[in-house]
C-alpha cells in the first residue's frame, strides 16, 4: 500500500512540537501534506501566506513532505487530494477532548477518513502555537519553541526587543 | 411529587445531543422547560428569536416540553418559574469542569436548586453547537447533527452551497 | 408521575458524600432505594450484613428511603424492582470515566434505565469509601467523613487506638 | 513503504472495540499482528491459549492480520518481529494517561518504535475487557460487547445462566 | 533561607479562592508579592489601576504581602525582583493543563524559577474570576465569591440592581 | 522562617522523577525529609529496609535531605516531626485526582499541614514506580528511569537477564 497522510492545522506559527509530529509521520507514510487552514475562525497572528511560507521552508527539509493551503471543510480537501489518513499530534497538555470531537465529526462527515494520533517528544509536549504567540508578543526568546527556519519568518515581523525598550 | 425541570442553554443551535437529553428528561419529569439564554456573552450565530423558534418546533414534538427565553441569572429565572431542578447533558467530550463550576456556583446562589446530569446517546456525545456552527459556516452537511425541524431553520439562513460555488 | 430511584453501590462504608447525594435524591424522587451490592469483586472491609445495617440506620432518618441488598447485575435488580432511574454521585475527584462507562454499559443492557448524576456538597467531594477505609485502618479520626450513625458501626469493629498503642 | 504494525494487549477477552481498532489498522497498514501478552500482572480470566484462540478466530476474518503471543517486553518482541509501529486504541473512557505513559516508556526503551493511536467507533468507546468480564461473571448478555466468534469461546467457559438459577 | 514568592495573575477581580491561596502562601514564605499583569490579552473588566487597588487592599490585611503591577514576561519580572518561586493555585475545576503548560514554558524561559502549586479550600475550588464577572454582569450577589474589601471596589462600578429594574 | 518539608511516599523504588522533585524541594526549603511509608496496602516489590537504603543513598547526595520511615497516618508523622509542609510531585501522567483527594483528606485531618505540588522535569513526567517495576520484572534496562545509586540496589535483587535466557 502506498499511503499518504494530511497533517492539517492553523500552524500560527509551526512549533517544534508540530515539527516533531511531522518528522514521525514522514517516517511512517510515503507522503505527508502539511495543510494550512486559510481562514481560521480565530484571528491569526500570521497571514495564510506567511504561514504557507513557514510550512514550505519546513517541508523543504524532508523528501516526502509538501506544504499546501485549503479553504472550507478539511474532509472536502482530503477527498480532493484523495487522501484517507489525517495526522494529529496528541499532547498531554493539549485540548484532548477537542481532538476527539473533531475526529468524530470528521468521521461522521467522511467515514472513509481515518484520524491517527502521534505523540510529540515529551519535552515538546507543553508547546502550542498560542504559547509561542504569547511569548512573541511579550518580546521573549523563542529559539526553544520553533524550528530555526520558522524563527526567521517570525523575527521579520516581530524583531527582538532589547531590554529597556518599550 | 409533581416535578418540573429546566434545561437551560444558548442552544445556538439545538443539536441532536440536546434533543436526546430533552427526550430523556421528558420521560423522567412531569414537565421540562427548554430555557434559552437571550443575551449570551458569546456572540450567537442565531438570534434569540431564531433560537426560540427552533426550540418551540422541537418542543411541539413532546407533550410535556415548553420552550421559553430568559434574561439575567438562571437562578432568578428558576425561582420565578418555581422550579427546583436544572437538567444538564454531560458529554465525555464536553467541558466537564465548566459544568461542575456552573452547578456549584448556582448552588451557592440558590441552595434549593438541584442540578441533575444526564448522558446523551453515546453516538451523539461528540456533538456540540460550536461544531455544528463550524460545519454550517463551511457549508457542510448537518443532517446527522441537528433535529430535522431545526435543519430547516438553519438552511433558511445558510443555504447549502453546491460544490464548486464560492 | 410517581418516580422511584435506585442508588446502588458497595457502600463500604457509607460516607458523608453518599449521605449528601441520598438527601438530594430523596427531595427529588418519591422513593429512593439504597441498594447494596452483596458480592463485590473488590474484597470488602465490611460484610454485606454490616453494610446493610449501616444503610438501614441511614435510611431510617428519611421518610422515603429504603435500604436493600442485591446479587447479580444491577439492571436485573432494577427490572425486578420495576425502577427506571439510577442515581450516581459525581465527584470531581472520583473516577468520572468509570461512571460513564458503567452508565453506558447499563444503558446497553437495559435501554429503559436512565442514570442521573448528582453532585455532592463541594466540601465532601474528596470523600470516598477507600479513603475512609485507609483512615480507619491507620486508626485515624473519621467523624468528618461518615454519618454519625455509621461511625458507631465502624467503631464496633475498629475501636479508636489511643496514641502510643500499637 | 511496506508497513507492518503490532496491536498488543492482554485481550482478556477481545471486545468489539478491539475489533473495530483492528479493522481500521488493517486498512492502513500492509500487515497487522495482534500480539497477546502471555503473562499478565493482572490475573487473566482466560488463559493465554484461550486468548490466542479467540484472536486467531478474529484474525481469520482479515487477509492481512495475524495473531501471536509474546513474553517479556513489548519492545523486544517488536524488534524480533522487525516492526516499528505500535497501534493503540484511544477511548475517551479509557485510561488515557496510562496509554501515554506506556507510549513514552516504550519510546525511551526503543526510540525507533512509534506508537499510533486510533479511535474506535464512538458507540464502542465505553467498552473494555474489564466491563465484559464483569458482565460475564454476573451472567449478563454479551452479544453487544464482543465479536460473534469470541462469544462462542466465552460461552464454552461461562454458559448463560437462566433467570432464577443461582 | 529567606524565601520570597510571586503570585501573578490578572486578578480581574481577586476572588476568595485567590485570597485563600495567598493566605496559605503567606504562612510558608517570608514574603509574597501579588503581581498583577497590566495588559492582559483577554480584555479585562477592571482596569490595571482598579485591580491594583483591590490587591493593595487585600495585601494590607497581611504583614508580609505586597501588591504590584508588571508588564511583559513574568519571568523577566521575577528576575528583576530577584524572586525564584512562583505560586499558583490549583483548583480541580480550573484549567489544569493550562497551568502545566505555563509552568513548563516559564521553566524553559527561566530554569531557575520554580512554580509551586497550592490548593485553595475545597469550598472555594469552583470559584474563578470569570464566574464572578458573569455574576456581576447579571446583577447577582457576590458576597460568597470575593473578599469583603474587594466587594466594595466592584460595587462602586457595578451597583446591585434591585429586582424588577432593568 | 526556617522551613522544613516532608516528601512522603512508598518509593518502590525511587525514580528519576522523584529525584528531580527532591532536588527542586531541597533548593526551596531548609530541610527535606524523604519519608517512606513502611506498610503499604499495595504489596511492595522492595522491603521497607531496601527502600530506606535506596532513599538514604539518594539523600547522601544532598546537604539538607534526610531519609526516614514511618508507620500509620502521615499527618501523625508530620506532627511528631513538627513539620507543616508536605511536598508532592505532580505529573501530567499521574493520578492527579488521587493527589487532590489525599491532600484534601490530610487537610481535614490536620488543617495546619499544607501540601505543595512541584512539577518534575517534563522528560521525567511519564515515569512512575509501577512502570519501573514492570520494566524490572520483564528484564528491561532501567538506567534512564532511576538514579544511578538506586540502580545498584535494584540489580542486586533483579540481575539483568541476557537476551536468550529465560
Amino acid at each position: 500500500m502506498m499511503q499518504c497522510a494530511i497533517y492539517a492545522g492553523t500552524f500560527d506559527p509551526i512549533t517544534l512540537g508540530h515539527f516533531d509530529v511531522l518528522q514521525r509521520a514522514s517516517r511512517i507514510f510515503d507522503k505527508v501534506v502539511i495543510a494550512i487552514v486559510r481562514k481560521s475562525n480565530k484571528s491569526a497572528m500570521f497571514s495564510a501566506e506567511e504561514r504557507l511560507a513557514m510550512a514550505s521552508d519546513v517541508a523543504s527539509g524532508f523528501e516526502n513532505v509538501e506544504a499546501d493551503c485549503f479553504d472550507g471543510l478539511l474532509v472536502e480537501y482530503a477527498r480532493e487530494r484523495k487522501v484517507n489518513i489525517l495526522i494529529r499530534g496528541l499532547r498531554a497538555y493539549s485540548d484532548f477532548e477537542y481532538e476527539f470531537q473533531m475526529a468524530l465529526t470528521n468521521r461522521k462527515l467522511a467515514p472513509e477518513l481515518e484520524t491517527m494520533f502521534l505523540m510529540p517528544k515529551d519535552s515538546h509536549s507543553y508547546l502550542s502555537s498560542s504559547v509561542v504567540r504569547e511569548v512573541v508578543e511579550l518580546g521573549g526568546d523563542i529559539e526553544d519553541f520553533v524550528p530555526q527556519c520558522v524563527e526567521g519568518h517570525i523575527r521579520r515581523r516581530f524583531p527582538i526587543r532589547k531590554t529597556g525598550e518599550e
Side-chain angles (χ1 to χ4, degrees), chain A:
Chain A
M1 269 186 268
M2 164 87 181
Q3 290 286 19
C4 177
I6 288 176
Y7 183 27
T10 310
F11 298 113
D12 181 41
I14 292 188
T15 69
L16 280 175
H18 296 137
F19 181 83
D20 186 86
V21 167
L22 193 65
Q23 197 166 40
R24 293 175 192 281
S26 77
R27 288 192 212 118
I28 293 168
F29 298 103
D30 297 283
K31 188 173 179 182
V32 181
V33 180
I34 323 180
I36 290 168
V37 183
R38 194 183 299 270
K39 293 173 190 164
S40 169
N41 56 347
K42 327 168 219 170
S43 58
M45 174 176 264
F46 296 96
S47 71
E49 286 64 38
E50 285 172 308
R51 288 180 279 134
L52 182 57
M54 291 179 199
S56 299
D57 273 15
V58 166
S60 69
F62 294 89
E63 288 201 350
N64 60 343
V65 175
E66 175 200 331
D68 195 9
C69 257
F70 73 101
D71 287 299
L73 286 169
L74 172 55
V75 297
E76 296 292 340
Y77 175 72
R79 274 175 179 156
E80 277 166 39
R81 302 270 330 208
K82 299 194 194 326
V83 173
N84 287 330
I85 299 170
L86 299 179
I87 293 297
R88 298 295 297 168
L90 201 51
R91 297 168 300 134
Y93 310 107
S94 77
D95 193 350
F96 171 59
E97 302 201 328
Y98 175 78
E99 291 295 337
F100 260 38
Q101 207 175 24
M102 270 298 104
L104 285 170
T105 304
N106 286 334
R107 186 180 285 172
K108 198 67 135 195
L109 292 167
E112 77 281 6
L113 204 57
E114 202 57 68
T115 303
M116 300 199 82
F117 297 95
L118 285 166
M119 290 178 62
K121 216 173 141 187
D122 46 5
S123 59
H124 291 152
S125 68
Y126 64 93
L127 266 176
S128 72
S129 293
S130 68
V131 163
V132 173
R133 287 197 304 271
E134 204 170 324
V135 174
V136 165
E137 270 175 355
L138 296 171
D141 191 359
I142 56 171
E143 71 178 0
D144 286 338
F145 301 150
V146 298
Q148 215 175 343
C149 64
V150 170
E151 201 183 344
H153 287 274
I154 295 174
R155 284 302 161 220
R156 231 159 291 149
R157 279 273 305 276
F158 298 88
I160 298 175
R161 279 186 280 167
K162 298 289 188 315
T163 310
E165 293 187 48
E166 182 56 18

